[in-house]
Amino acid sequence: MSSGGDSQPAVAVAARAYEVMATSRAIDDACAALVAAGEPVPNYHSGRGQEAMSTAIGLALEPDDYLLYTYRDFGALLAKGVPLDALVADLLLKEAGTTKGYGGIMHVVAPERGIVGRNGVFGSRFGIAVGLAIGAVAQGEERVVLCAYGEAEGGRGPLYEALNFACLRSLPIVFFAQHNGFSISTRTEELYAGGDMSTMWRGMPLPVHAVDGNSFFDVYDTTRIAVDAARSGLGPSLVEAVTYRIDAHIPAEAEVFGRHDYRSEAEIRAWREKDPIARLRASLVEDGLLDSDELDAGDAATSERVKSAFAVGRSLLGPEPSTIECFVYYESNGGAA
Amino acid sequence: MITTYREALNRVLATEMKRDQRVLLLGETVATASGATRVTAGLAAEFGPRVIETPVSENMLVGAALGGALGGMTMVVEVYSADFLLAAASELLNDIAKWRYQHRWAAPLRLVLRMCSGNGGISAGPEHSQCIEGYLHHAPGLTILAPSSVRDAAGGLRAALRSPNPVVFLEHRRLYDMRAEVTDEELDSLEVGIGRSAIVREGRDVTVVAWSWMRSLVERAAEALASEGVDVEIVDPVTIKPMDYDTIRASVEKTGHLLVVEESPRAGSVAATIVAEVVTAGVSARVSMLTMPDVPHPYAPGLEALPIPNVDAVVREVSRFVETPRGEALASAVD
């Protein structure tokens, strides 16, 4: 592993990364269990297998850097400081969530953590990233915008518009392509000329990095390079992390899409063997940074914490019907219903 | 001092940018020229990097308006023509209009998308002539202003810039050279109340609702009708959304007749919504709409003006109208 010169911060980052990744995995386990028990989790999109990539981008940012997250980014949201309880309440569309039950996991918001929300229709985040960056520069702030996106969103033209303008104006944006193999059932190589999500941009005047998305430290170190460059005025970068979506696009994939034999069990099995959490764990043990007992104890605590968050979350109330006409326009009373 | 609609807009942009460092102006040709309609003249020289010229990238531009506003800036985006805003419909209708609702976003979202709209009588055809308020007024969360006078251009733009809500600001192509006697002091303090209609001419016999370029036509028609003894009351909504139906309803209760004039195809028009709001409120009145038929704007010079309401058409419709006492109208409506 690399990351930083002295080992102490690396240990702290690694320990935190492991905990966040395990928490993200436990969220997927909890959601899967609910769905299996016949309790739907609306708009839930699994992040299983993508935890290293997601967690690394969250940890590579400063608390007030902007993050435009994807709906599988439990790791990034947790790493950025969104509390687990709030995230669970969002997954369950409860009033205690970050959007008071109105946006759920699709629109997690935590402005004090640089999370200004999420666009629900693919494509507009690239322009939003440009606007956030323009505002930060205009105010003399050294804030960076990390704009994560998947295969589907990267198919939209606004990515080109934003890349071009970010290069023209040296805007502090990290365009972060989350290559997880698919847009629903269509393979990445069937969607992007060049076969992946970064080759096609190599003609543009910005650094383009491609990394192993299942290696926490590869993603973290590369993202830090891109973030530091943006912060020091060197302009935008593009990072592509290659990983794999282990679970279905959505839990009801088979029912919704009918035919869903777009990949083989053998392929999924092969990627399960590259599991990013097991991989980080092995490297932590091997390098003597944490021992197996500590990690086991941590895993048990994480699993307990997430289970209890879901148990509490399920008992919470959804938004009050009386609030349905609030927040269409600015509320001068701050939105107190 | 004589001021044009264009000069009033320019002065408000300059004074508001001076007053508040957070105001940024973005758009195509806004620095190297003066934007699409010469409204941004001199601003790049005065405000330097706060005037940001962009490629023809409407999705990026309109998305950036939202991003900047989320970061606490006041974003003024000039869209080169109202028709082009439709290229960024998702940014506008799925994101900007709904951001506050879906995120329970409590802070102001200050962004103004300003643009020229409407038919300019220059054979610009169906993609450079549209009034787009009919497309947009369906979207909860949007504020739409369409000023019809020099004073409302100044007061409307200032109100838009200071509003905590996203505003689509529609400037009519035929109004930029409109002139009015306005002092600089007035220009620097005018601010319309968003969501408040104005009765711009009082009358007894018929209420005509019109805005933007159509208001000018209706004012001329009202003069002609006055000489025939018909007393027209004109209501200019100024804010197309959220609209002040109370003022319109109160006026119609007084006159018993409502005509709405709109430079737009009929189906789903703003006019149709106004009529519906009056009728379903149970106001006893004869109602009518004068709009374009459901056709695009033709290019050819000989055809261009034909689908658009004109002064004669307003006079004819009002004359036909007021001959019918309101009880009779309702009775015939029941037939």
Side-chain angles (χ1 to χ4, degrees):
Chain A
M1 64 175 264
S2 55
S3 183
D6 59 293
S7 63
Q8 199 48 43
V11 174
V13 168
R16 172 91 179 115
Y18 185 82
E19 187 196 335
V20 169
M21 287 163 64
T23 307
S24 174
R25 177 68 55 90
I27 289 173
D28 280 317
D29 290 342
C31 289
L34 283 177
V35 172
E39 199 173 316
V41 185
N43 306 300
Y44 159 63
H45 297 80
S46 168
R48 192 182 305 274
Q50 305 183 193
E51 295 90 348
M53 169 185 74
S54 183
T55 302
I57 59 178
L59 290 182
L61 296 172
E62 295 299 320
D64 69 345
D65 284 338
Y66 292 112
L67 167 70
L68 294 167
Y69 76 99
T70 72
Y71 49 39
R72 300 186 196 279
D73 269 330
F74 308 128
L77 292 168
L78 292 165
K80 205 69 174 72
V82 177
L84 171 65
D85 294 347
L87 208 52
V88 170
D90 276 336
L91 276 161
L92 302 174
L93 282 167
K94 302 296 190 175
E95 204 271 340
T98 65
T99 61
K100 300 185 165 71
Y102 276 83
I105 195 64
M106 300 295 269
H107 299 282
V108 174
V109 68
E112 71 288 352
R113 299 284 175 174
I115 296 162
V116 297
R118 180 183 165 276
N119 53 303
V121 175
F122 289 139
S124 37
R125 67 179 50 208
F126 306 112
I128 294 170
V130 165
L132 287 167
I134 288 173
V137 170
Q139 296 182 94
E141 298 172 341
E142 294 191 340
R143 290 169 101 168
V144 170
V145 183
L146 189 141
C147 178
Y149 63 97
E151 274 86 348
E153 187 135 24
R156 293 287 322 278
L159 172 56
Y160 159 72
E161 295 186 357
L163 274 171
N164 180 46
F165 195 69
C167 290
L168 277 171
R169 298 274 171 164
S170 277
L171 294 176
I173 303 176
V174 177
F175 294 90
F176 193 98
Q178 300 185 339
H179 174 153
N180 73 0
F182 303 95
S183 172
I184 303 185
S185 56
T186 314
R187 288 185 174 273
T188 314
E189 57 269 29
E190 301 292 332
L191 297 165
Y192 289 88
D196 59 29
M197 295 174 74
S198 60
T199 298
M200 67 189 330
W201 302 119
R202 290 195 184 274
M204 292 199 99
L206 85 170
V208 175
H209 310 274
V211 294
D212 176 353
N214 279 26
S215 161
F216 171 80
F217 284 109
D218 280 8
V219 181
Y220 180 80
D221 290 343
T222 304
T223 307
R224 284 293 295 264
I225 289 168
V227 167
D228 289 347
R231 203 183 310 286
S232 53
L234 297 174
S237 303
L238 188 142
V239 180
E240 175 186 25
V242 180
T243 179
Y244 190 80
R245 192 194 77 215
I246 296 288
D247 287 342
H249 170 64
I250 50 171
E253 183 178 86
E255 295 97 279
V256 173
F257 305 136
R259 186 192 146 140
H260 65 110
D261 54 348
Y262 57 87
R263 57 181 181 174
S264 68
E265 285 303 321
E267 177 179 295
I268 299 172
R269 215 165 31 243
W271 277 94
R272 276 189 193 277
E273 279 160 21
K274 301 180 199 170
D275 184 78
I277 298 179
R279 190 165 158 187
L280 178 61
R281 184 187 170 105
S283 93
L284 291 175
V285 173
E286 193 180 315
D287 293 348
L289 294 176
L290 290 168
D291 66 45
S292 288
D293 290 347
E294 287 174 297
L295 289 163
D296 286 342
D299 284 350
T302 297
S303 163
E304 215 34 61
R305 212 155 34 86
V306 172
K307 276 188 186 139
S308 126
F310 272 85
V312 170
R314 289 169 67 211
S315 73
L316 297 171
L317 297 174
E320 273 287 320
S322 64
T323 60
I324 200 163
E325 292 191 16
C326 300
F327 279 101
V328 177
Y329 292 95
Y330 179 73
E331 307 269 350
S332 52
N333 65 357
Chain B
M1 199 186 106
I2 300 289
T3 303
T4 65
Y5 188 96
R6 175 185 287 108
E7 289 162 351
L9 293 170
N10 176 265
R11 185 174 175 98
V12 171
L13 281 176
T15 51
E16 291 297 304
M17 288 186 79
K18 210 174 296 175
R19 187 182 76 91
D20 186 350
Q21 292 289 319
R22 289 170 307 179
V23 181
L24 302 179
L25 173 68
L26 284 80
E28 297 153 21
T29 76
V30 294
T32 55
S34 315
T37 51
R38 287 180 282 127
V39 169
T40 66
L43 298 176
E46 189 170 355
F47 299 104
R50 291 167 60 203
V51 177
I52 301 169
E53 187 152 307
T54 72
V56 177
S57 296
E58 275 79 15
N59 295 106
M60 184 276 287
L61 250 179
V62 178
L66 175 57
L70 290 168
M73 310 303 288
T74 297
M75 303 294 277
V76 186
V77 163
E78 176 173 300
V79 178
Y80 210 75
S81 175
D83 317 74
F84 306 176
L85 182 59
L86 304 179
S90 189
E91 282 80 357
L92 181 65
L93 303 178
N94 285 319
D95 301 319
I96 290 173
K98 295 173 185 149
W99 206 270
R100 185 180 302 289
Y101 193 77
Q102 305 196 92
H103 297 93
R104 303 324 249 187
W105 187 269
L109 280 178
R110 298 189 200 280
L111 70 96
V112 181
L113 307 176
R114 46 160 295 273
M115 62 209 76
C116 59
S117 74
N119 177 264
I122 49 171
S123 291
E127 318 90 351
H128 297 74
S129 297
Q130 297 171 94
C131 287
I132 60 166
E133 53 269 41
Y135 293 126
L136 304 185
H137 77 132
H138 188 63
L142 280 190
T143 297
I144 307 171
L145 297 184
S148 322
S149 68
V150 175
R151 279 187 172 73
D152 283 353
L157 186 54
R158 178 167 290 106
L161 286 164
R162 296 183 182 187
S163 170
N165 291 305
V167 177
V168 176
F169 192 85
L170 301 170
E171 303 161 7
H172 198 286
R173 286 187 172 82
R174 290 187 191 260
L175 292 176
Y176 284 112
D177 294 320
M178 177 188 247
R179 296 150 71 85
E181 178 76 38
V182 197
T183 65
D184 282 351
E185 292 69 41
E186 257 186 291
L187 275 181
D188 293 348
S189 61
L190 283 165
E191 186 173 345
V192 307
I194 289 178
R196 282 211 294 274
S197 300
I199 295 175
V200 295
R201 177 190 171 104
E202 289 195 31
R204 291 182 315 271
D205 299 328
V206 56
T207 300
V208 182
V209 177
W211 59 94
S212 195
W213 169 238
M214 291 294 109
R215 174 178 145 188
S216 300
L217 301 190
V218 169
E219 284 176 323
R220 272 148 57 196
E223 290 302 317
L225 286 159
S227 64
E228 295 171 20
V230 179
D231 197 10
V232 176
E233 177 146 301
I234 303 175
V235 180
D236 181 349
V238 189
T239 306
I240 305 305
K241 187 182 182 72
M243 188 169 285
D244 170 12
Y245 294 114
D246 290 345
T247 299
I248 296 170
R249 276 193 292 255
S251 172
V252 179
E253 269 165 6
K254 180 178 79 174
T255 63
H257 295 82
L258 169 65
L259 172 66
V260 187
V261 184
E262 182 175 1
E263 183 184 333
S264 221
R266 200 167 182 86
S269 59
V270 177
T273 305
I274 294 173
V275 166
E277 286 290 334
V278 169
V279 170
T280 58
V283 178
S284 164
R286 174 94 197 243
V287 297
S288 183
M289 312 192 283
L290 196 57
T291 65
M292 291 171 58
D294 285 335
V295 298
H297 292 270
Y299 273 105
L303 305 185
E304 189 177 12
L306 296 182
I308 301 171
N310 58 35
V311 176
D312 288 347
V314 175
V315 170
R316 266 200 314 278
E317 185 63 11
V318 169
S319 304
R320 186 183 70 77
F321 214 57
V322 291
E323 281 167 13
T324 318
R326 68 167 93 176
E328 225 175 278
L330 282 176
S332 69
V334 169
D335 296 344

